[in-house]
Amino acid sequence: MKRHPFEPSRLISGLTALALGTAYDLDALGLWHAPGPWLFLTLPAGLLLSGITAAIWNRTRRPHHPPTDATYPKGS
């Protein structure tokens, strides 16, 4: 199995979707009454947190040195 890079923003998005789906399921089964604003604010808050995490993750993973022109010969 091919390994893939760790992406924390996808983890946060998945956990947000899992929490929201679980809350709707428990509310539908009558086991827990979810407050209305909580359910509507969970998805945007999770996506916002995921976007911020992706931006920070990409910024820290980017190389900090400027590219050099060593790949192109000077005579071409």
Side-chain angles (χ1 to χ4, degrees):
M1 185 164 127
K2 185 178 177 183
R3 294 186 57 100
H4 55 84
F6 175 66
E7 296 184 22
S9 59
R10 288 188 180 195
L11 176 66
I12 292 172
S13 296
L15 290 175
T16 300
L18 185 65
L20 194 57
T22 303
Y24 272 114
D25 286 344
L26 291 175
D27 194 24
L29 292 173
L31 299 174
W32 179 60
H33 178 67
W38 183 85
L39 290 178
F40 289 117
L41 293 177
T42 302
L43 183 62
L47 292 176
L48 178 68
L49 182 62
S50 178
I52 292 170
T53 305
I56 292 171
W57 185 256
N58 287 334
R59 181 68 181 153
T60 58
R61 302 284 289 172
R62 185 182 310 161
H64 295 291
H65 54 81
T68 59
D69 291 336
T71 57
Y72 300 107
K74 295 193 182 234
S76 330

